[in-house]
Amino acid sequence: MSRHPEVLWAQRSDKVYLTVALPDAKNVSVKCEPQGLFSFSAMGAHGELFDFCLELYGTIIPEGCKTNVGLRNIICSIQKEQKNWWKRLLKSDEKPAPYIKVDWNKWCDEDDESAESDLASDDDLAEGMDGDESSDEDGMLYLPDLEKARGI
């Protein structure tokens, strides 16, 4: 029986970014199909199988999809067929599965995209994933510093 890893997503007008939180993943397999089907599978650190399949909101260009496997997570850059903003990640308008969440660290609104042109290029994405260079905060929620909150 397989499990679902946590998946964080963000978008730009031309791409969707999926960050799969799966430390020390092995045998990572990603498939992108033109009609918007995205499939992922990998083995976890203890040999457990993780997989999921998403029917994305719009069509994609499989040749423009890139995957970068890091020590703590797997980042997938998925190229949209048409440059536009999707209303949501999935084709279905039902509430997404609980393991799919918005990646607020990478999120960009339509209005902000032109100002953010230098933010998350695929080259920057690859550089941040080399070796153990990624910080412990990658993919983590920001929690307030408890000592600051207490006034210490």
Side-chain angles (χ1 to χ4, degrees):
M1 181 157 169
S2 65
R3 297 171 43 187
H4 298 282
E6 181 181 63
V7 179
L8 302 175
W9 80 281
Q11 73 170 316
R12 301 291 185 271
S13 62
D14 61 337
K15 293 184 185 301
V16 170
Y17 296 102
L18 296 179
T19 303
V20 181
L22 191 57
D24 300 321
K26 297 173 185 70
N27 303 327
V28 175
S29 172
V30 173
K31 293 181 186 169
C32 297
E33 298 181 23
Q35 67 271 29
L37 286 178
F38 177 87
S39 301
F40 173 91
S41 68
M43 296 295 282
H46 302 290
E48 63 273 52
L49 176 64
F50 288 85
D51 71 349
F52 63 90
C53 186
L54 303 176
E55 188 174 2
L56 301 174
Y57 183 78
T59 55
I60 61 175
I61 301 172
E63 301 80 31
C65 298
K66 299 177 184 175
T67 302
N68 195 331
V69 180
L71 294 175
R72 294 185 184 98
N73 51 33
I74 297 100
I75 298 177
C76 303
S77 171
I78 303 167
Q79 187 174 354
K80 297 177 182 178
E81 185 176 54
Q82 297 178 348
K83 190 173 180 174
N84 62 1
W85 287 83
W86 293 352
K87 291 187 236 178
R88 56 188 175 269
L89 175 63
L90 304 177
K91 187 171 278 191
S92 169
D93 59 358
E94 296 175 12
K95 185 176 178 180
Y99 64 90
I100 300 173
K101 299 174 182 169
V102 173
D103 188 347
W104 294 113
N105 293 329
K106 290 187 179 99
W107 191 261
C108 178
D109 289 326
E110 260 181 277
D111 300 337
D112 299 336
E113 184 178 38
S114 58
E116 299 281 332
S117 61
D118 62 329
L119 180 62
S121 71
D122 288 334
D123 294 335
D124 294 339
L125 213 54
E127 286 176 20
M129 293 301 298
D130 288 341
D132 203 0
E133 297 294 317
S134 60
S135 75
D136 288 337
E137 295 177 353
D138 286 352
M140 301 294 285
L141 295 175
Y142 289 104
L143 299 175
D145 186 341
L146 295 179
E147 289 181 1
K148 286 183 182 177
R150 291 186 198 135
I152 297 175

